[in-house]
Amino acid sequence: MTADELLRVADSFSGTDRAHGWLRAHPGAAVVRVETVANMAVGFAPWGPFAAATAPLDGTARAAEAFRARPEIRVDAETSGIWTEESAVIVIGRELHRYPFAVAGIAALRERGTAVLAIEMGWPDAEAPADLSTFGSSRLVGAALLSVLEAPAA
């Protein structure tokens, strides 16, 4: 996998420039992994930057290692209250707008004053709380997202 190929995939994302600015301001942000039930068409499959960090594509080992070094908090519909006391978090999920617990959790973090970068790895909705949308959650898209999240500070 070349950097140019990952860049082409990342160029299809919506909100990348905004994300780069946020990431420069919050380089040590933790990751909140929003687990939801996969739809019948998808079924269970490793997804997003989590799959890409576990089994890195060629040329992505550095970004995968940096991502794995971030604190990770897993949340789901059974997780109650504020998800974390971290001051900055990258919230990553699929179809966030379809899950009231995800929408409420992101809103609660923001109301508490937590700096949040919400990443939608499914198809975004106009009402979605996402700052960055990837339009997919395959391992390849996850590797491209890692190249955005773990890019050297400019």
Side-chain angles (χ1 to χ4, degrees):
M1 181 64 43
T2 68
D4 286 342
E5 291 169 320
L6 289 177
L7 181 60
R8 275 196 299 276
V9 174
D11 280 347
S12 71
F13 299 169
S14 171
T16 306
D17 289 340
R18 182 183 193 182
H20 282 298
W22 190 95
L23 291 160
R24 279 191 298 276
H26 308 284
V31 171
V32 174
R33 178 178 178 162
V34 180
E35 292 290 351
T36 55
V37 178
N39 69 42
M40 287 177 25
V42 174
F44 173 79
W47 63 277
F50 311 104
T54 300
L57 299 173
D58 290 344
T60 65
R62 188 203 60 77
E65 182 179 345
F67 184 78
R68 286 192 311 268
R70 292 180 182 273
E72 181 182 316
I73 300 104
R74 288 182 184 222
V75 300
D76 60 24
E78 302 302 313
T79 308
S80 61
I82 296 286
W83 294 337
T84 179
E85 295 298 320
E86 298 280 345
S87 61
V89 293
I90 303 165
V91 177
I92 304 173
R94 297 176 289 184
E95 297 186 310
L96 294 169
H97 64 281
R98 300 186 86 198
Y99 298 93
F101 85 91
V103 173
I106 291 168
L109 288 169
R110 288 181 169 153
E111 287 169 12
R112 182 182 150 265
T114 303
V116 175
L117 176 66
I119 300 176
E120 171 58 64
M121 295 210 67
W123 201 259
D125 180 83
E127 301 300 317
D131 302 303
L132 174 73
S133 297
T134 64
F135 305 96
S137 62
S138 69
R139 183 169 149 230
L140 173 61
V141 172
L145 178 58
L146 289 179
S147 73
V148 171
L149 295 176
E150 305 304 341

